[in-house]
Amino acid sequence: MPSQSPTTRLGSIAASKVPVLLLKTRSTPIDAYEEILKRPETTIGRYSREFDPRFIPVLRHRFDDDGMQRTKSLLQANGIGNQPGCKYGGLIFTSQRAVEAFAKVVNDEKGGDNVVFHFPPNTPIYSVGPATTRALRAIRTEPPLQVFGEHTGNGETLATFIMEHYGHWYRDRESLPPLLFLVGEQRRDVIPRTLMDPALPQNERITVDEEVVYGTGVMESFPDEFESVLNETRYESERWVVVFSPTGCDTMLCGLGLLDQNGGKASLDHRDGKTFIATIGPTTRAHLVNRFGFEPDVCAESPSPDGILHGIAKFTSSHA
């Protein structure tokens, strides 16, 4: 089959559902990407589109038993909350996997499906964006978790928001209580570094303790599963691959027949004109560009389902 330019005009695309290959594990109990992409109809430019999201896990996540137990012990001892004597005044989440770990701890403590977990009232929970926020709000507690930061979208913006919001929340305290940050083994340090910056006045500095509640490894099944879905969708007139991290980018490019095995760079001449690549944000885009010389078709302006959808919409409209 002769190669085509990745900028093939999309005006003649059939009305069938467009496969969207999400290189991630499906989040539980809900996945915001699946929710948005499975809407009955999405208008993009002059076209109404329907999408068929497919999850292809790249990373293997496992709960960290020690971190989970320490978090459980804190909850049992009422160590998190807006009350005198609590060790932590709130929680930070920047990962849906951390939310899943927290949800498991809460559900284990509930002792049954019909039991509601009683969480200390007026305790701020900080979330990096809409997907993480949705997952947090799905956890059944009484009263419901008070989640803030949905609008932020990245760690830098969330840290800035926390500095203002948390200080106001505990404005009557002589010193700000520490925050507990539930994280994975691999994470950026921008939030602790920003909130504990020695240059800040002492009364504005916020201590952040990190608790590792999950670990990450490479999913051995990814190459075969990716190849299988590519084969299933090979006759579609359009399909998208959404990349969520630098891990697996080489396997993704190899599966698409774009990786030059000799030099380790992408061979752009082999693009098929119907398979388009979107990245969740600038970090993954930079990895593709710097490591493989490959410029993705879309880099989401915000690391969220809406950001991906808007990126696809903008690309589709400009190439229709």
Side-chain angles (χ1 to χ4, degrees):
M1 181 177 182
S3 63
Q4 300 176 5
S5 164
T7 58
T8 296
R9 295 179 67 82
L10 301 177
S12 61
I13 289 175
S16 61
K17 292 184 179 181
V18 177
V20 180
L21 283 52
L22 300 160
L23 304 191
K24 67 185 288 289
T25 302
R26 184 184 181 278
S27 298
T28 58
I30 57 174
D31 191 288
Y33 291 88
E34 184 177 39
E35 272 194 328
I36 285 183
L37 291 170
K38 277 196 169 182
R39 288 173 180 169
E41 193 171 85
T42 300
T43 300
I44 296 182
R46 301 193 307 271
Y47 307 99
S48 293
R49 317 292 296 283
E50 288 189 83
F51 295 99
D52 176 22
R54 312 276 193 97
F55 292 93
I56 310 173
V58 178
L59 301 176
R60 174 176 52 83
H61 303 283
R62 66 184 186 283
F63 292 134
D64 184 287
D65 292 338
D66 292 339
M68 297 277 282
Q69 183 57 52
R70 284 190 289 268
T71 302
K72 180 178 180 179
S73 297
L74 273 169
L75 290 177
Q76 291 174 332
N78 297 318
I80 305 170
N82 185 4
Q83 299 170 358
C86 288
K87 184 175 182 180
Y88 297 103
L91 290 162
I92 304 174
F93 293 89
T94 58
S95 159
Q96 290 189 59
R97 304 303 160 209
V99 176
E100 289 171 13
F102 181 67
K104 186 177 188 309
V105 170
V106 168
N107 289 332
D108 287 348
E109 281 298 286
K110 282 162 55 175
D113 292 338
N114 297 321
V115 179
V116 177
F117 180 78
H118 291 276
F119 195 79
N122 299 319
T123 301
I125 311 293
Y126 295 105
S127 168
V128 77
T132 307
T133 300
R134 286 193 188 98
L136 281 165
R137 287 177 176 157
I139 301 173
R140 292 184 61 203
T141 65
E142 181 61 43
L145 297 178
Q146 293 187 267
V147 186
F148 305 95
E150 177 180 3
H151 64 285
T152 56
N154 59 62
E156 290 88 345
T157 308
L158 179 61
T160 302
F161 172 76
I162 291 173
M163 288 179 65
E164 179 179 348
H165 184 273
Y166 197 63
H168 180 73
W169 193 271
Y170 285 105
R171 61 186 180 277
D172 297 329
R173 300 279 186 96
E174 291 184 5
S175 61
L176 296 174
L179 282 165
L180 182 63
F181 188 9
L182 299 187
V183 298
E185 287 176 337
Q186 301 177 26
R187 72 274 187 187
R188 298 175 63 200
D189 67 347
V190 61
I191 290 178
R193 184 163 37 85
T194 301
L195 299 183
M196 297 191 294
D197 188 346
L200 290 171
Q202 183 65 40
N203 63 343
E204 295 180 15
R205 219 173 296 164
I206 304 170
T207 299
V208 178
D209 289 344
E210 295 177 305
E211 184 65 78
V212 176
V213 291
Y214 72 95
T216 303
V218 178
M219 188 77 74
E220 294 180 1
S221 62
F222 171 60
D224 291 337
E225 290 187 14
F226 186 54
E227 182 180 0
S228 176
V229 177
L230 286 177
N231 188 53
E232 290 173 12
T233 59
R234 66 188 183 279
Y235 297 121
E236 299 292 341
S237 56
E238 178 193 7
R239 60 185 177 183
W240 284 85
V241 179
V242 182
V243 191
F244 290 83
S245 81
T247 303
C249 283
D250 54 346
T251 304
M252 181 268 294
L253 292 172
C254 186
L256 292 172
L258 301 178
L259 195 61
D260 180 356
Q261 296 300 323
N262 295 324
K265 295 293 184 179
S267 179
L268 303 183
D269 292 338
H270 294 159
R271 297 202 66 179
D272 61 13
K274 65 178 186 179
T275 304
F276 305 98
I277 312 298
T279 66
I280 192 62
T283 300
T284 303
R285 174 196 169 273
H287 179 74
L288 282 169
V289 172
N290 297 333
R291 173 64 181 83
F292 303 106
F294 182 85
E295 179 67 63
D297 303 292
V298 166
C299 176
E301 292 183 5
S302 65
S304 66
D306 282 332
I308 288 293
L309 192 59
H310 291 160
I312 291 175
K314 185 176 180 181
F315 179 87
T316 303
S317 297
S318 65
H319 293 88

